[in-house]
Amino acid sequence: MTEPAEITDSLLRLKQETIACSRCELSKTRKNVVFGEGNPNADIFLIAEAPGHTEDLAGRPFVGASGQLLDKILAACGFTRQQHVFLSNVVKCRPPGNRTPSLQEAGLCIPWLYRQMELIDPQIVILLGATALRYMAGPAYKITRDHGKWFYCNRRLTMAVYHPSALLRNPGLKRDTWTDFKNVVLKYRELSDPDHVCQYV
Ligand code: URA
């Protein structure tokens, strides 16, 4: 087993490589590469689409309005960014105007994500939103039909949920999303920590 400190060191080295990346045109317009953050030894890896304007400026994932909602959902599950999860995106640089990253951009960037996942080696992967689901699992998957279902993606136990920004646009999706996250808590108890405290589950 790799020691936690070794993983942290390897992840820091990977971050240095990632922030020097110029594989695609997004490197020309970005302010910062948003590598991701959280516990390098987390059992839950959350993967979203790409940094937005606020994240590009801050160099950190989910610091805008959808990040605040995500933190609330995580807190309701008894999870924190520091302890339980690692949070990153399929694409590490902001697409101009917050457009959806192209298939080519995702293809060039995803090897960074795979290296993060190899080092962190999570028990559970959560895909946030339709774009992360499409680029990670393939175009046959549909967020409206497949959210909340467990499946294996790259040999890892995975669930897709609605993206927090979709919940901000359409609050009607919150009920389903809460059901999905309660199942994440149950799976976390089963696989990682039977004593995990969540006051709602
Ligand atoms: N939306 C995303 O998909 N990723 C972020 O980091 C922030 C907003």
Side-chain angles (χ1 to χ4, degrees):
M1 198 183 109
T2 318
E3 290 298 317
E6 255 178 75
I7 298 171
T8 306
D9 282 356
S10 308
L11 205 61
L12 279 174
R13 279 196 296 276
L14 179 60
K15 182 173 181 176
Q16 293 316 313
E17 273 187 67
T18 309
I19 63 180
C21 181
S22 58
R23 286 179 193 170
C24 82
E25 293 290 300
L26 299 182
S27 62
K28 297 191 176 144
T29 48
R30 73 180 179 223
K31 295 270 184 293
N32 284 291
V33 173
V34 179
F35 178 72
E37 68 181 27
N39 182 350
N41 300 291
D43 278 333
I44 304 175
F45 199 128
L46 297 166
I47 301 170
E49 178 176 326
H53 176 62
T54 328
E55 290 77 21
D56 180 46
L57 293 180
R60 294 182 53 213
F62 280 104
V63 289
S66 58
Q68 286 169 20
L69 178 55
L70 180 63
D71 284 339
K72 272 194 202 164
I73 297 170
L74 293 177
C77 294
F79 298 142
T80 63
R81 289 191 190 209
Q82 295 74 22
Q83 191 184 342
H84 302 90
V85 308
F86 195 90
L87 191 53
S88 193
N89 288 296
V90 170
V91 166
K92 308 277 187 266
C93 298
R94 180 191 182 218
N98 293 353
R99 65 166 168 76
T100 304
S102 69
L103 187 59
Q104 194 204 16
E105 288 157 353
L108 289 167
C109 204
I110 250 173
W112 297 119
L113 179 66
Y114 286 146
R115 286 176 66 188
Q116 288 178 308
M117 292 174 80
E118 215 170 283
L119 290 171
I120 295 165
D121 196 20
Q123 301 266 12
I124 295 169
V125 173
I126 303 297
L127 304 176
L128 295 167
T131 303
L133 178 61
R134 187 166 71 251
Y135 287 154
M136 294 300 291
Y141 287 82
K142 298 282 171 256
I143 193 76
T144 44
R145 185 191 62 206
D146 297 322
H147 72 86
K149 296 178 185 166
W150 291 110
F151 63 102
Y152 280 87
C153 180
N154 302 306
R155 284 179 283 117
R156 294 187 185 275
L157 187 64
T158 301
M159 181 195 281
V161 298
Y162 287 111
H163 193 288
S165 64
L167 306 183
L168 290 172
R169 284 194 305 272
N170 180 0
L173 299 175
K174 283 184 181 175
R175 180 194 278 265
D176 275 358
T177 303
W178 181 224
T179 303
D180 296 346
F181 269 99
K182 284 196 279 191
N183 282 321
V184 175
V185 172
L186 292 175
K187 191 58 82 181
Y188 182 78
R189 282 210 189 110
E190 186 187 319
L191 298 180
S192 301
D193 179 6
D195 300 321
H196 176 70
V197 177
C198 166
Q199 59 174 313
Y200 304 108
V201 183

